[in-house]
């Protein structure tokens, strides 16, 4: 009976350990060689270089990846869904934009993960797995073009294509800490790309290097490299930065200082873009949800976001509802749920709002203006975080995306350092059709922004270090007072606090050693004295206290060495002389 009970216990224990290991395996995401960015590898090679004296292909020596909404001849386009892949045939033609890049000298090396049916902006995909954000592995990479952003951020390709309807390129660019460009609406042909919401859809791209970003843009947009126009106005959208979860000054400082350095302070100004739109876009009143201008802090931006979401939903439904109905059980419930009927609401007013917003922003920015906004609300959310399913969080995120999506203006995401060890970014917006101007400005200002990011980081580190040093000195003084009152343990605790704040000061270790000696903690005293001597080899008291500690521990030769060293540093030191004489008499 006893042996049977023991056997049962061992079985239960084994099951328990197995359960713990299984749970640990689920919690720890397995390492993937490509961070889960690719769903398939392929190779599309450029044509041979033209003979001299003709110029080489403009994208020679670059490789790229494409989001799996772009068709490639003989390959099935999965559109982020295994069920879609099962029910669709291989493409018969390659997307025009992909062909143009290959003809321009770049090598296409694979297709990347997108959110299911390119519908979300978070980067999660139940069919192919969520790609691992190289800049913050415990955070979502952003979507819908998550795999393309990860492939670039991870250094697997020089650039990558994505699709952006409501932030599908801009958001993952910001979350992964790389450059991301959404061109003006309809300036790049979308043939051979699965549509999401045609009124909002654009083909965008990612890069780590602004020169590469610009090279790709000049080929796709068929731009020349002449007549570079300098920006004359930078508008900081204060109300958009108030939406941000990151202190506004942390984001705007790097931009304002960079602009001042390159173009002068006179080109900077501030704008409340919500108020500006409220006065220029009357159609937004239909989406105010009962709020008049000024009653709700961000009512105009929220109204614009509501119009965008309505347009996105209706056009997506028009494109794909028939297939979704046939494969409903395989489509994510959140997508199906969002496609419910809106009753009498139509897209007519949303389309009118698009025209009005484009006119309003083009009027503000003209040919030489840049609007500066945060790319996203803040740091990328953690994987499975509650924000991902939060209606209010998503609505506020989409407020920031709606400006370019609804106006059709071009926008670039620019990395702006880190906050809480996660990438953060700002976005620059130019008028519709101002793509070359925005690409040129991005290349011109990028290095200066990164310099300002580095300077700000050093400044913050220096400020924090100074505060820590001040706090450490205060803790040491409190420790000295406790020592004078013979409160040895309290003194040790306070010296320890000082060491945690600033571990580079020999006195803190030396003083703590004195308190340890009073409590007969000789090992700890010896260790602290050794650390103090390593920091400051001329600290006499540390040799004296270590000598005392070693004498009490029975290390008499080492103790004599310490007292002798103290005497060399301070020849008239009576304590060291007496200790040496005493030890030599006892242990000749």
């Amino acid at each position: 009976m006893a042996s049977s009970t023991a056997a049962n216990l061992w079985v239960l224990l084994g099951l328990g350990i197995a359960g713990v290991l299984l749970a640990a395996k689920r919690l720890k995401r397995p390492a993937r060689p490509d961070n889960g960015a690719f769903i398939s590898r392929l190779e599309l090679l450029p044509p041979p270089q033209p003979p001299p004296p003709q110029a080489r292909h403009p994208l020679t020596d670059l490789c790229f990846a494409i989001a799996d909404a772009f068709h490639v001849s003989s390959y099935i386009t999965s559109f982020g869904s295994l069920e879609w892949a099962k029910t669709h045939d291989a493409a018969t033609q390659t997307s025009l934009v992909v062909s143009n890049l290959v003809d321009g000298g770049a090598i296409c090396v694979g297709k990347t993960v997108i959110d299911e049916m390119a519908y979300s902006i978070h980067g999660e995909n139940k069919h192919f797995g969520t790609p691992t954000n190289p800049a913050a592995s415990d955070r979502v990479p952003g979507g819908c073009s998550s795999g393309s952003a990860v492939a670039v951020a991870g250094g697997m390709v020089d650039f990558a294509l994505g699709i952006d309807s409501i932030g599908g390129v801009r958001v993952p660019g910001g979350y992964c800490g790389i450059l991301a460009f959404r061109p003006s609406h309809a300036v790049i042909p979308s043939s051979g790309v699965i549509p999401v919401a045609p009124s909002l859809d654009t083909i965008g791209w990612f890069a780590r290097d602004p020169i590469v970003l610009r090279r790709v843009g000049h080929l796709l947009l068929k731009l020349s490299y002449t007549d570079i126009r300098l920006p004359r106005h930078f508008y900081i959208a204060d109300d958009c930065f108030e939406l941000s979860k990151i202190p506004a000054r942390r984001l705007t400082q790097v931009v304002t200082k960079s602009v001042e350095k390159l173009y002068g302070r006179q080109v900077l100004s501030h704008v409340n873009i919500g108020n500006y739109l409220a006065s220029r876009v009357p159609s937004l009143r239909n989406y105010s949800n009962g709020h008049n201008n000024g009653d709700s802090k961000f009512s105009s931006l929220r109204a614009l976001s509501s119009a965008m979401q309505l347009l996105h939903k209706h056009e997506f439904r028009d494109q794909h509802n028939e297939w979704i109905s046939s494969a409903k059980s395989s489509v994510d419930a959140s997508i199906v749920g969002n496609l419910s009927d809106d009753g009498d609401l139509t897209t007519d007013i949303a389309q009118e709002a698009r025209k009005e917003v484009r006119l309003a922003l083009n009027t503000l920015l003209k040919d030489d203006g840049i609007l500066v906004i945060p790319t996203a609300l803040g740091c990328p959310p953690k994987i499975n975080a509650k924000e991902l399913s939060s209606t209010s969080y998503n609505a506020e995120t989409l407020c920031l995306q709606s400006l370019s999506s609804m106006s059709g203006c071009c926008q670039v995401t620019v990395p702006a350092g880190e906050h809480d060890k996660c990438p953060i970014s700002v976005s620059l917006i130019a008028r519709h059709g101002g793509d070359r101007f925005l690409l040129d400005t991005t290349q011109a200002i990028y290095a200066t922004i990164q310099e300002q990011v580095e300077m700000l980081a050093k400044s913050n580190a220096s400020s924090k270090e100074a505060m820590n040093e001040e706090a450490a000195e205060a803790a040491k003084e409190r420790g000295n007072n406790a020592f004078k009152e013979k409160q040895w343990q309290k003194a040790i605790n306070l010296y320890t606090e000082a060491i945690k704040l600033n571990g580079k000061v020999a006195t803190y270790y030396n003083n703590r050693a004195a308190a340890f000696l009073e409590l007969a903690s000789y090992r700890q005293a010896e260790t602290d004295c050794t650390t103090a001597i390593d920091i400051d080899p001329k600290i006499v008291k540390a040799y004296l206290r270590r000598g005392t500690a070693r004498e009490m521990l029975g290390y008499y030769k080492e103790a004599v060495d310490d007292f002798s060293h103290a005497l060399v540093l301070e020849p008239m030191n009576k304590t060291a002389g007496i200790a040496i004489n005493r030890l030599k008499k006892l242990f000749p």
Side-chain angles (χ1 to χ4, degrees):
M1 186 70 170
S3 61
S4 175
T5 301
N8 289 336
L9 286 172
W10 279 111
V11 169
L12 289 172
L13 180 61
L15 290 172
I17 293 171
V20 170
L21 292 173
L22 183 61
K25 186 176 180 181
R26 287 173 178 166
L27 287 171
K28 186 176 181 181
R29 304 180 74 201
R32 293 173 288 183
D34 62 2
N35 286 331
F38 288 87
I39 66 165
S40 63
R41 294 283 188 167
L42 51 87
E43 192 173 64
L44 302 180
L45 298 175
Q49 296 291 343
Q54 296 183 61
R56 286 159 60 87
H57 297 311
L59 300 184
T60 297
D61 300 327
L62 297 181
C63 66
F64 72 104
I66 57 175
D68 199 38
F70 293 80
H71 291 315
V72 173
S73 180
S74 303
Y75 287 85
I76 294 175
T77 308
S78 74
F79 202 34
S81 165
L82 289 174
E83 190 64 26
W84 182 282
K86 290 177 186 175
T87 55
H88 287 78
D89 295 328
T92 57
Q93 286 187 317
T94 297
S95 166
L96 180 61
V97 67
V98 176
S99 296
N100 286 343
L101 291 169
V102 173
D103 289 342
I107 301 172
C108 182
V109 297
K111 288 194 166 196
T112 56
V113 175
I114 62 172
D115 287 13
E116 185 174 353
M117 301 186 76
Y119 197 76
S120 175
I121 59 169
H122 298 309
E124 298 177 308
N125 187 301
K126 69 179 182 181
H127 298 279
F128 299 102
T130 301
T132 302
N133 186 338
S137 60
D138 62 334
R139 309 275 176 153
V140 295
C144 65
S145 307
S146 55
S148 286
V150 167
V152 171
M156 290 165 262
V157 290
D158 298 300
F159 69 94
L161 295 182
I163 50 175
D164 188 315
S165 304
I166 56 172
V169 167
R170 292 162 286 166
V171 171
Y175 283 0
C176 292
I178 56 175
L179 290 156
F181 193 82
R182 174 192 161 101
S184 298
H185 184 259
V187 298
I188 295 178
S190 59
S191 59
V193 184
I194 299 175
V196 179
S199 292
L200 306 172
D201 291 351
T202 56
I203 294 169
W205 58 96
F206 305 92
R208 297 183 304 280
D209 185 337
I211 297 175
V212 172
L213 190 83
R214 185 170 176 253
R215 284 171 67 186
V216 173
H218 275 251
L219 184 141
L220 291 180
L221 297 163
K222 298 179 171 56
L223 303 175
S224 68
Y225 285 86
T226 58
D227 300 327
I228 293 178
R229 187 168 56 253
L230 295 179
R232 294 180 181 272
H233 301 281
F234 280 85
Y235 300 98
I236 309 296
D238 290 332
D239 52 332
C240 290
F241 283 100
E242 287 179 32
L243 274 172
S244 176
K245 309 299 181 186
I246 296 168
R249 189 170 180 274
R250 168 66 186 84
L251 286 168
T252 59
Q253 186 176 1
V254 293
V255 178
T256 55
K257 286 188 176 297
S258 299
V259 170
E260 287 176 6
K261 182 176 179 179
L262 292 176
Y263 308 109
R265 186 174 297 180
Q266 72 279 359
V267 306
L268 280 164
S269 58
H270 293 259
V271 64
N272 184 305
I273 199 68
N275 288 348
Y276 177 79
L277 293 178
S279 66
R280 299 273 182 154
V281 187
S283 299
L284 293 181
R285 294 167 194 160
N286 295 282
Y287 298 92
S288 63
N289 296 322
H291 293 294
N292 295 321
N293 183 38
D295 290 342
S296 179
K297 195 172 185 182
F298 307 107
S299 57
S300 297
L301 290 175
R302 287 192 175 122
L304 186 63
S305 175
S306 296
M308 179 187 72
Q309 290 177 71
L310 178 69
L311 199 57
H312 179 246
K313 178 165 70 173
H314 273 247
E315 293 192 355
F316 180 86
R317 188 166 60 196
D318 289 345
Q319 295 290 330
H320 304 300
N321 197 47
E322 183 177 343
W323 180 83
I324 289 173
S325 297
S326 67
K328 184 173 287 187
S329 61
S330 301
V331 179
D332 192 282
S334 63
I335 297 176
V336 176
N338 284 335
L339 298 182
S340 58
D341 192 14
D342 297 298
D344 297 331
L345 289 177
T346 67
T347 61
D348 293 344
I349 298 173
Q351 292 289 4
E352 186 64 27
R354 283 183 65 234
K355 298 175 185 176
E356 293 172 357
V357 172
R358 179 177 298 183
L359 177 61
L361 288 184
N362 282 356
T363 301
L364 173 69
L365 300 176
K366 300 184 173 63
D367 289 336
D368 53 12
I370 298 283
L371 181 66
V372 184
I373 67 170
T375 304
L377 284 186
C379 295
K382 290 187 175 181
I383 295 166
N384 299 321
K386 61 182 181 181
E387 294 102 311
L388 300 175
S389 56
S390 166
T391 302
S392 61
Y393 182 89
N394 288 322
E396 289 187 349
T397 299
L398 292 176
C399 282
L400 298 172
Q401 310 311 313
S402 65
L403 286 166
S404 287
S405 288
M406 288 296 282
S407 68
C409 290
C410 49
Q411 177 174 336
V412 63
T413 296
V414 181
E418 292 186 343
H419 183 77
D420 289 340
K421 298 181 180 180
C422 292
I424 55 174
S425 66
V426 292
S427 275
L428 311 180
I429 298 175
R431 70 165 179 84
H432 182 271
D435 302 74
R436 180 175 63 181
F437 166 64
L438 186 56
L439 285 166
D440 291 346
T441 301
T442 300
Q443 181 172 329
I445 201 172
Y446 179 81
T448 306
I449 286 179
Q450 302 316 308
E451 286 173 8
Q452 292 298 325
V453 166
E454 191 173 337
M455 288 172 64
L456 181 62
K458 288 179 179 177
S459 173
N460 289 341
S462 298
S463 176
K464 184 177 180 181
E465 187 176 340
M467 290 173 63
N468 285 347
E469 288 174 359
E470 186 177 337
E473 276 296 301
K476 181 205 76 173
E477 290 302 321
R478 294 199 304 274
N480 290 348
N481 291 333
F483 190 92
K484 290 174 185 176
E485 295 171 3
K486 299 184 179 181
Q487 297 177 342
W488 317 123
Q489 189 57 55
K490 183 179 179 181
I492 288 170
N493 293 341
L494 289 165
Y495 293 138
T496 301
E497 182 182 337
I499 289 167
K500 286 180 179 178
L501 290 165
N502 184 6
K504 299 177 182 178
V505 179
T507 303
Y508 301 163
Y509 294 98
N510 191 34
N511 288 8
R512 190 169 68 173
F516 276 133
L517 285 175
E518 295 292 344
L519 292 177
S521 299
Y522 303 121
R523 288 285 185 194
Q524 291 93 327
E526 181 191 29
T527 300
D528 270 357
C529 288
T530 300
T531 303
I533 291 166
D534 288 340
I535 296 171
D536 181 4
K538 295 182 178 181
I539 186 165
V540 174
K541 286 185 178 179
Y543 287 104
L544 295 175
R545 287 167 182 165
R546 189 169 71 174
T548 301
R550 286 175 168 177
E551 181 181 351
M552 300 306 295
L553 290 167
Y555 303 141
Y556 303 117
K557 181 182 180 301
E558 290 81 359
V560 169
D561 290 342
D562 277 338
F563 291 129
S564 299
H565 205 116
L567 206 55
V568 169
L569 292 170
E570 203 172 279
M572 303 303 291
N573 190 292
K574 293 181 180 179
T575 302
I578 293 170
I580 291 171
N581 290 332
R582 182 180 66 250
L583 287 169
K584 285 185 176 179
K585 287 179 182 178
L586 292 172
F587 308 99

